[in-house]
């Protein structure tokens, strides 16, 4: 595999986040009376079915190595999926995505605690400015259960992105994602049975489409966070907010205002600045 540079990793994260917005948009189209846990189970099942052919073509040696970490990530992923459906059903697309994109900010202290990463002044400044931009876009006036649910999703995203380093290096992206979803199916089935609603397979198509988009995003995260320190690239996650705004306007008639332009500028400009700083540092280190 070619070496992934900081610039390439940030570009991949930007693309992944824009793709991931369409997953959220599909979830938001679910009827209000949809059985939430059934839908989450459908997402787990379709993910395994989508990924299984790719895994069969891969080297299957030691497929279940590191199962403990797959188990932990899989249930964190499941928790995030449940709270994501709740949040998207109650908040505007742009608002909920703005809260989701606090994940990169959460990753900075978590990376320092879990992996003793050193935080540079550049990455901290970019993350803080980006978070301020998110707050300007959201214009939070009060905290409600939906906002808390979205924050839980952001936390699960941050933890899962960091824990990819604990996974076996010989597992490719397809195997990693399949195992993440596979280990969570028993718990998802238990939640669906506990929910007690009549089985309705209608949302299966929505689950498949949503899952396809989010698996692409998750695969990119596994790829780049395994190769590059989170503190160097996590600010790129913020750009998905712009995609959420565009999709919100075109699909859900969410009209942006001036605060959106100001907040988005605080997200994008520090991102561009950080990429240039990292490139300059890398170039200087090569000369030395």
């Amino acid at each position: 595999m070619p070496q992934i540079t900081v610039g390439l990793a940030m570009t991949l994260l930007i693309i992944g986040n824009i793709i991931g917005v369409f997953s959220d948009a599909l979830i938001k189209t679910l009827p209000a009376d949809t059985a939430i846990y059934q839908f989450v189970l459908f997402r787990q099942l379709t993910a395994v079915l989508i990924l299984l052919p790719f895994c069969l073509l891969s080297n299957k040696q030691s497929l279940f190595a590191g199962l403990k970490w797959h188990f932990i990530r899989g249930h964190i992923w499941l928790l995030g999926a449940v709270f994501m459906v709740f949040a998207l059903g109650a908040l505007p697309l742009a608002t909920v995505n703005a809260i989701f994109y606090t994940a990169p900010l959460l990753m900075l202290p978590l990376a320092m605690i879990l992996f003793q990463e050193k935080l540079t002044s550049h990455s901290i400044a970019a993350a803080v400015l980006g978070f301020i931009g998110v707050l300007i876009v959201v214009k939070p006036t009060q905290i409600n259960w939906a906002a808390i649910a979205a924050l839980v999703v952001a936390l699960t995203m941050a933890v899962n992105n960091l824990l990819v380093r604990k996974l076996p290096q010989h597992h490719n992206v397809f195997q990693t994602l399949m195992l993440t979803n596979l280990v969570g199916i028993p718990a998802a089935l238990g939640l669906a049975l506990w929910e007690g609603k009549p089985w309705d397979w209608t949302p299966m198509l929505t689950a498949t489409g949503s899952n396809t988009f989010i698996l692409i995003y998750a695969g990119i995260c596994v790829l780049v966070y395994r190769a590059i320190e989170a503190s160097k690239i996590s600010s790129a996650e913020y750009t998905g907010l712009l995609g959420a705004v565009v999709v919100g306007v075109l699909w859900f008639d969410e009209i942006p205002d001036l605060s959106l332009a100001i907040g988005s500028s605080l997200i994008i400009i520090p991102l561009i600045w950080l990429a240039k700083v990292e490139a300059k540092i890398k170039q200087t280190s090569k000369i030395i």
Side-chain angles (χ1 to χ4, degrees):
M1 179 185 296
Q3 183 179 2
I4 296 178
T5 63
V6 171
L8 176 58
M10 295 181 80
T11 300
L12 289 173
L13 278 180
I14 291 170
I15 295 171
N17 275 274
I18 293 173
I19 292 173
V21 170
F22 289 96
S23 174
D24 297 341
L26 286 175
I27 294 174
K28 193 168 178 60
T29 63
L30 290 172
D33 59 348
T34 299
I36 302 299
Y37 296 125
Q38 280 186 35
F39 177 75
V40 172
L41 174 63
F42 294 159
R43 292 190 75 209
Q44 301 284 106
L45 292 171
T46 54
V48 172
L49 292 175
I50 292 170
L51 294 165
L52 186 59
F54 297 99
C55 292
L56 292 176
L57 296 174
S58 305
N59 183 3
K60 296 179 283 297
Q61 183 179 3
S62 302
L63 177 61
F64 294 102
L67 191 60
K68 176 183 73 173
W69 292 109
H70 285 294
F71 184 86
I72 293 172
R73 288 188 77 252
H75 287 80
I76 293 173
W77 177 278
L78 176 63
L79 178 68
V82 170
F83 279 93
M84 181 181 293
V85 177
F86 281 119
L88 286 168
L91 294 173
L93 184 65
T95 301
V96 74
N97 270 270
I99 299 175
F100 287 170
Y101 291 115
T102 60
L105 183 61
L106 296 173
M107 288 175 65
L108 294 174
L110 286 172
M112 183 176 62
I113 294 170
L114 296 176
F115 298 105
Q116 290 75 52
E117 286 189 11
K118 295 181 179 179
L119 304 182
T120 67
S121 58
H122 305 117
S123 60
I124 293 174
V128 171
L129 287 173
F131 184 60
I132 292 172
V134 169
L135 292 179
I136 292 174
V137 171
V138 176
K139 300 186 293 292
T141 57
Q142 61 181 5
I143 297 178
N144 54 33
W145 69 268
I148 293 174
L151 283 171
V152 171
V153 176
L155 180 60
T156 62
M157 291 168 62
V159 174
N160 256 353
N161 286 338
L162 291 172
L163 287 182
V164 295
R165 300 187 194 181
K166 295 292 187 178
L167 302 181
Q169 291 294 320
H170 67 271
H171 282 175
N172 60 34
V173 174
F174 301 120
Q175 292 170 327
T176 298
L177 293 176
M178 191 195 74
L179 289 170
T180 297
N181 284 275
L182 182 63
V183 298
I185 287 177
L189 176 60
L191 288 172
L193 294 174
W194 174 78
E195 194 173 20
K197 291 188 177 182
W199 286 93
D200 180 11
W201 299 94
T202 304
M204 179 66 83
L205 184 60
T206 302
T208 303
S210 172
N211 225 2
T212 300
F213 289 126
I214 202 62
L215 284 174
I216 294 173
Y217 164 72
I220 289 174
C221 285
V222 170
L223 187 65
V224 300
Y225 284 114
R226 178 176 277 169
I228 305 293
E229 288 185 3
S231 59
K232 294 181 179 179
I233 60 175
S234 59
S235 293
E237 300 266 10
Y238 287 128
T239 56
L241 177 58
L242 299 181
V245 171
V246 173
V247 174
V249 171
L250 298 178
W251 200 334
F252 301 103
D253 296 323
E254 297 175 354
I255 307 301
D257 54 19
L258 180 60
S259 64
L260 176 62
I262 297 173
S264 298
S265 297
L266 285 173
I267 294 170
I268 297 300
I269 293 174
L271 171 63
I272 298 173
W273 169 72
L274 181 62
K276 290 183 177 181
V277 169
E278 294 293 347
K280 185 176 180 180
I281 292 175
K282 184 175 182 180
Q283 184 178 4
T284 302
S285 62
K286 284 184 178 180
I287 295 175
I288 295 175

